[in-house]
Amino acid sequence: MDKFTTLTGVAAPLPQINVDTDMIIPKQFLKTIKRTGLGRNLFHEMRYDHNDREIEDFLLNRPAYRNAQILVTGENFGCGSSREHAPWALLDFGIRCVIAPSFADIFYNNCFKNGILPIVLPQEEVDKLMDDAHRGANATITVDLESQTITGPDGGTIAFEIDPHRKHCLLNGLDDIGLTMEKEEHISAFEKALHIRMPWHHHGG
């Protein structure tokens, strides 16, 4: 999993509440078990018409936001069914950070598993960032996970909260498997140290 330390990128505004996982990645694209290639179908029903042509005025189809790495959106983002394809699709499109007043729990957890940073902020802070994001390609926002700050295009900063354990995992790019490995190293280091300090333990009583 890629580490998440500092991200500077264009923020795309999606001022909708209750964006569910089916809007993020419709179920006809769930046949794949691969994590790649889903980005093309992110927000499919909003992005394409019936002939699979891009709808010009949809946010991510506008030139300014085609390379967006941050999404600023409304409350309860990622609700609905618990598909892990939703964060995969965001990540494959290039989005590494989602900022909202609230998230659905399962989606929130799945973000961390996939190297995406979901940030919960009070509505008025989200509104400020939403305004910034409406500036298009000029809306570059910097998210610094180490210092837990978001810096807007004008240099104003907003602090955010995050669970220390999850922060550690993202900073070090540890998914569930990486975490287990990390614990193993601690355990074997501990056992080695124990053996050096108390060699008699290993010589049969």
Side-chain angles (χ1 to χ4, degrees):
M1 195 171 85
D2 289 341
K3 295 179 180 183
F4 189 114
T5 48
T6 308
L7 172 68
T8 298
V10 170
L14 187 69
Q16 273 175 269
I17 63 166
N18 301 323
V19 172
D20 66 28
T21 50
D22 198 53
M23 282 166 78
I24 298 170
I25 185 77
K27 53 186 166 300
Q28 67 264 36
F29 303 109
L30 302 189
K31 292 189 272 291
T32 181
I33 48 168
K34 295 200 301 289
R35 294 179 186 218
T36 52
L38 287 167
R40 189 187 174 280
N41 303 112
L42 176 68
F43 298 124
H44 188 87
E45 282 156 24
M46 295 189 270
R47 249 169 100 191
Y48 303 100
D49 66 16
H50 296 306
N51 300 316
D52 231 21
R53 277 197 298 260
E54 288 188 356
I55 296 166
E56 274 177 41
D57 60 353
F58 180 65
L59 172 84
L60 298 178
N61 291 333
R62 295 183 214 156
Y65 299 115
R66 280 185 182 272
N67 298 312
Q69 291 181 281
I70 298 164
L71 187 66
V72 184
T73 188
E75 62 192 60
N76 200 23
F77 187 80
C79 55
S81 61
S82 60
R83 61 191 66 155
E84 205 170 350
H85 294 71
W88 293 354
L90 286 162
L91 195 62
D92 191 62
F93 179 86
I95 288 170
R96 291 291 311 271
C97 176
V98 184
I99 301 169
S102 61
F103 290 90
D105 284 350
I106 295 171
F107 175 81
Y108 186 79
N109 294 336
N110 281 340
C111 279
F112 288 102
K113 283 191 203 165
N114 290 287
I116 295 175
L117 172 60
I119 297 177
V120 177
L121 288 176
Q123 186 69 55
E124 60 271 21
E125 305 280 27
V126 174
D127 292 343
K128 269 185 231 163
L129 291 169
M130 195 75 78
D131 280 347
D132 287 337
H134 277 295
R135 300 183 200 182
N138 301 327
T140 309
I141 290 176
T142 298
V143 178
D144 185 329
L145 179 55
E146 187 62 69
S147 67
Q148 294 178 216
T149 55
I150 300 165
T151 309
D154 300 330
T157 62
I158 294 173
F160 63 90
E161 294 294 309
I162 184 171
D163 170 75
H165 172 69
R166 288 179 154 151
K167 176 178 175 175
H168 172 79
C169 292
L170 274 182
L171 284 172
N172 295 286
L174 300 171
D175 51 17
D176 296 349
I177 297 155
L179 268 176
T180 311
M181 300 292 284
E182 194 188 36
K183 285 201 185 82
E184 289 283 310
E185 281 166 32
H186 286 203
I187 292 163
S188 64
F190 173 76
E191 285 174 346
K192 279 195 191 87
L194 196 71
H195 182 66
I196 292 160
R197 284 206 314 277
M198 310 186 220
W200 61 86
H201 265 313
H202 294 267
H203 295 312

